[in-house]
C-alpha cells in the first residue's frame, strides 16, 4: 500500500481492514445467493438422489469459486488504488 516501503498509517490500516471486511461479506453474500439458486431446488423438492447430490455439489463448487474470485477481485482493485467514479467531479488522475 505504501509506495516507499515504510509503515502504513492508522488510516491506511483502517482502510485495509474495512476493505477486507467488505470483500468477505460481499463474497459470502454472492456465494450464498449462487448456492441457493443452484442447490435450492434440490433442497426444496423431492428429486432423485443422484440429481439432488449433483446439484448440491455443483452449488458448493460454484459458490466456492465465486467466493474466492470476489475476494481476490476486491482486494486486487483496492491494492491498485482504484477509486469509484464520482459523477460531477473531475478525476484526480486527469
Amino acid at each position: 500500500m505504501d509506495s516507499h516501503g515504510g509503515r502504513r498509517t492508522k488510516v491506511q490500516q483502517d482502510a485495509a481492514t474495512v476493505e477486507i471486511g467488505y470483500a468477505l461479506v460481499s463474497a459470502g453474500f454472492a456465494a450464498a445467493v449462487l448456492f441457493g439458486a443452484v442447490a435450492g431446488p434440490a433442497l426444496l423438492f423431492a428429486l432423485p438422489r443422484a440429481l439432488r447430490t449433483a446439484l448440491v455439489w455443483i452449488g458448493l463448487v460454484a459458490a466456492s469459486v465465486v467466493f474466492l474470485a470476489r475476494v481476490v477481485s476486491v482486494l486486487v482493485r483496492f491494492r491498485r488504488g482504484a477509486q469509484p467514479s464520482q459523477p460531477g467531479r473531475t478525476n484526480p488522475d486527469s
Side-chain angles (χ1 to χ4, degrees), residues 42-80:
L43 301 173
L44 292 175
F45 303 116
L47 299 174
R49 183 176 179 169
L51 180 59
R52 185 174 58 232
T53 303
L55 286 174
V56 170
W57 276 104
I58 291 168
L60 284 172
V61 170
S64 299
V65 169
V66 165
F67 182 86
L68 289 174
R70 178 67 181 162
V71 168
V72 168
S73 70
V74 168
L75 295 180
V76 165
R77 187 175 59 229
F78 173 71
R79 184 156 176 99
R80 289 184 184 161

Side-chain angles (χ1 to χ4, degrees), residues 16-28 70-71 74-75 77:
T17 301
V18 168
E19 199 67 22
I20 290 168
Y22 169 73
L24 292 173
V25 170
S26 67
R70 178 67 181 162
V71 168
V74 168
L75 295 180
R77 187 175 59 229

Side-chain angles (χ1 to χ4, degrees), residues 9-20:
T9 65
K10 181 67 173 159
V11 171
Q12 290 171 328
Q13 290 174 351
D14 290 347
T17 301
V18 168
E19 199 67 22
I20 290 168

